[in-house]
Every structure is written in structure tokens, then in C-alpha cells.
Amino acid sequence: MRFDSDIYNWNLQINNNMLYIPNINDYAKDGINDQFCYGDSQVMDEACSCYNSLDEIVRSTKIYNPEFCFAEHLRRCNIIPNRISRPSANDITVYIN
């Protein structure tokens, strides 16, 4: 599933072919946070296709853990995530329409 939103004034620096993922909440060994990420349209399409690879990942690794499966999907797609820190409330102003 993919979501786009109308969040303004974030000043996000999005480089082509780069996936940005928070550097927290990696709940599995060799896993990666699967709750939030952002990137350009092409890399988001690839990252969000994880569901299509799920059967093969589970069959080949014998591991069924969401964070591990997401990380394994990214590895297979040659996507190296850029780990980011969450800005504090003092650092950004968000306007939602």
C-alpha cells in the first residue's frame, strides 16, 4: 500500500534512488523499521512492492518477520536505505490541508 499526503513546509531533501527510513524501531535481527519511509516515486514503487516478494523471501530464508522481510526485500532490490533521525517539534512546522 502506498500513501501520499499533503504535508507542506517539511523541506525534505529527496535524492533520486534514495529511500529514507528512521534510525529507530528495528525490531528484528537483520531487520529494518517498516513503519515509515519516503523517497522519490521510483524508489517508493520498488520498496512498496515488498508484498509481491513476500512468498519468495519467506520460502528462501525460512523467516517470517515483517522487519526482516522488508530489509531482505530492500537488499534484493539493491536499495540501501539512508537512516534518518526524527526532527524535533522545534525543528519543523507542519501544515496539513
Side-chain angles (χ1 to χ4, degrees):
M1 194 174 288
R2 177 184 172 143
F3 297 95
D4 297 328
S5 67
D6 294 324
I7 299 177
Y8 301 101
N9 208 22
W10 267 33
N11 297 325
L12 299 176
Q13 302 299 317
I14 300 176
N15 296 323
N16 290 341
N17 300 319
M18 182 71 66
L19 186 68
Y20 299 88
I21 299 177
N23 60 359
I24 57 172
N25 299 334
D26 298 339
Y27 292 118
K29 182 178 184 291
D30 297 325
I32 195 165
N33 183 322
D34 66 343
Q35 299 170 22
F36 176 82
C37 64
Y38 67 92
D40 67 18
S41 183
Q42 181 179 354
V43 78
M44 288 302 295
D45 287 345
E46 192 69 36
C48 291
S49 70
C50 180
Y51 183 79
N52 299 330
S53 304
L54 194 55
D55 286 344
E56 172 56 31
I57 291 171
V58 173
R59 280 191 193 110
S60 63
T61 64
K62 307 291 191 249
I63 298 172
Y64 182 70
N65 174 281
E67 289 83 8
F68 173 82
C69 290
F70 185 52
E72 181 64 19
H73 173 71
L74 296 180
R75 285 188 283 273
R76 291 176 184 206
C77 293
N78 295 315
I79 297 174
I80 300 171
N82 183 4
R83 303 306 296 266
I84 57 172
S85 297
R86 179 181 173 193
S88 71
N90 296 328
D91 293 336
I92 64 171
T93 303
V94 178
Y95 299 98
I96 302 176
N97 285 348

